[in-house]
Amino acid sequence: MPAQQLIALAVPRERIFIDKGFSGTTRRNRTGLDNALTAVTSAAAAVTGRQVVLTTTKFDRFARNMAEAGEILTGLRERDVLFGLGSQVYDWADPFGKLFLQTLAMVAEFEANLNHLRTREGMAKARAKGRLKGKQPKLPLAARKTIHRRYHDPDGNSSLADLAQEYSVGRSTIHRIISGATPRN
């Protein structure tokens, strides 16, 4: 959907960068954003007489906190790149543009914080009702006890790799079972 919106705004397909599978409030692992920033920096250096604009369809997908938004927008302005939100273009150096974008950043951060708060509240309610138990073990208790006993048996010769193959799980699963205390539940 965002790609079609950007195409409708006359952004060429090869200049559209989207973060896939991104969730969260920080800039870590945002290759789409990093590629877009690199592309506009290169374009700003190469283009003369024409303004370069980094365009997004939703501000909260661009940055989810005020500090990150300010850092990115300041960096864009230093490279003489404007910021586009939908069909509108804003200049971080213009007092109105800066106020408007700071307000959007504040609202995006507020929404992200509310979402985190609601998620934590929902998880606490589910945990209190016994519905949220965390990740369940890959193997039943009886199998984990058998693996633990067989591996630690001085007379046995069950290796980590043999047990992993026998129970059709990864070696890391067997390693967690044998390195912990005797499984109880």
Side-chain angles (χ1 to χ4, degrees):
M1 180 84 147
Q4 289 83 4
Q5 292 170 337
L6 290 169
I7 290 169
L9 292 169
V11 176
R13 284 187 190 276
E14 67 274 2
R15 306 290 281 175
I16 295 175
F17 303 94
I18 297 175
D19 284 316
K20 303 268 190 228
F22 169 72
S23 177
T25 58
T26 64
R27 191 164 163 202
R28 286 186 310 248
N29 302 321
R30 303 259 335 252
T31 55
L33 177 60
D34 293 337
N35 291 340
L37 292 172
T38 301
V40 295
T41 300
S42 302
V47 173
T48 54
R50 206 177 90 183
Q51 192 67 54
V52 176
V53 179
L54 174 71
T55 302
T56 185
T57 56
K58 292 183 177 183
F59 192 88
D60 65 333
R61 303 311 293 166
F62 166 71
R64 295 195 188 170
N65 64 58
M66 292 180 64
E68 179 181 282
E71 176 187 321
I72 295 170
L73 291 166
T74 299
L76 291 173
R77 188 65 213 135
E78 288 170 354
R79 293 186 228 70
D80 202 31
V81 175
L82 297 178
F83 179 76
L85 182 58
S87 61
Q88 300 297 313
V89 176
Y90 300 95
D91 186 352
W92 186 244
D94 174 59
F96 173 76
K98 189 169 189 171
L99 172 66
F100 183 70
L101 294 173
Q102 284 176 328
T103 303
L104 289 178
M106 182 177 57
V107 170
E109 183 171 342
F110 175 68
E111 286 179 340
N113 289 339
L114 277 181
N115 192 27
H116 289 296
L117 179 66
R118 290 180 186 133
T119 300
R120 285 192 298 273
E121 286 173 353
M123 290 174 70
K125 286 179 184 177
R127 197 175 291 115
K129 293 179 181 178
R131 293 186 186 146
L132 186 65
K133 299 176 184 171
K135 188 174 179 180
Q136 300 301 309
K138 290 186 178 183
L139 296 172
L141 179 60
R144 290 181 303 189
K145 284 183 176 180
T146 302
I147 289 168
H148 195 273
R149 182 183 42 77
R150 284 178 56 194
Y151 186 82
H152 292 291
D153 183 11
D155 297 330
N157 59 355
S158 297
S159 72
L160 192 124
D162 293 339
L163 291 168
Q165 185 176 6
E166 181 180 335
Y167 285 91
S168 300
V169 293
R171 290 171 46 141
S172 59
T173 300
I174 301 297
H175 190 274
R176 272 192 302 277
I177 293 168
I178 62 174
S179 62
T182 305
R184 291 190 195 137
N185 54 0

